[in-house]
Amino acid sequence: MTSMRTPVDVEHGLLTVLFSVVAVHALWQGLRPRGTGGRDRVDHLLHAAMAAAMAAMPWSLGRSLPGWTVTLLFTAAAVWFPLTALDRRPAGAVAAITAQLPSAVGMAAMAWMLRPSHGREQVSAGSLGNTAGPATVVTAVLTSYLLACAIWLLTRPMPSLRSDTDRAHGAAPTDPYGQTRHGAMALGTALMLLVHH
């Protein structure tokens, strides 16, 4: 790798480090021999694949990924998360689906960024000025949701930010490392949506 020469190179380097750490942690969680069920193992491996692809994207290596194949993979992953939450009892299904939404939206954002027409839309959008077309609206919605998730997930494990009621009921997160990983992934994905490739 060449030396970091511009602020954009530094930004790309930081995003690569962030996504690489997330990929290693998710892969470790998915491959550890015990304590992980089949569905959780697939969840972790999908997150590892997404983070690894995101680590390559700042350096334009993500463009070499086969367009529709990878787009369909991440689209299927976006559907996987809420569908696997449906196997719960009806009373807990809504809460289970809600808990899976950040992962589903992150996978949808990845599919959105890798879709083959993405580069052509950026070129045409740049030549047309600042009109907000459907692609801009979708990007804004995905980015806003992921930023909100990142703030919520990254601040939730902090005891000083929880309310007195939460502290009294011991409402600390059960997996603070997992929440931090998901929060970092949501933040990095939101930033990648904003970065032009």
Side-chain angles (χ1 to χ4, degrees), residues 162-171:
R162 295 200 319 263
S163 69
D164 291 334
T165 307
D166 287 344
R167 281 195 295 268
H169 289 90

Side-chain angles (χ1 to χ4, degrees), residues 72-178:
L72 290 175
L73 168 72
F74 288 114
T75 301
V79 174
W80 162 266
F81 286 98
L83 280 183
T84 56
L86 290 176
D87 67 353
R88 313 252 196 254
R89 292 184 307 264
V94 173
I97 291 170
T98 302
Q100 295 287 11
L101 278 181
S103 295
V105 172
M107 294 292 170
M110 185 66 177
W112 180 250
M113 286 186 282
L114 290 176
R115 72 195 188 285
S117 60
H118 182 59
R120 290 193 299 275
E121 286 174 4
Q122 284 182 343
V123 171
S124 62
S127 62
L128 292 175
N130 293 330
T131 48
T136 304
V137 172
V138 170
T139 300
V141 169
L142 290 170
T143 303
S144 300
Y145 181 82
L146 289 169
L147 283 174
C149 286
I151 291 168
W152 181 71
L153 289 166
L154 291 172
T155 58
R156 193 166 172 227
M158 299 177 184
S160 61
L161 296 177
R162 295 200 319 263
S163 69
D164 291 334
T165 307
D166 287 344
R167 281 195 295 268
H169 289 90
T174 57
D175 181 15
Y177 294 113

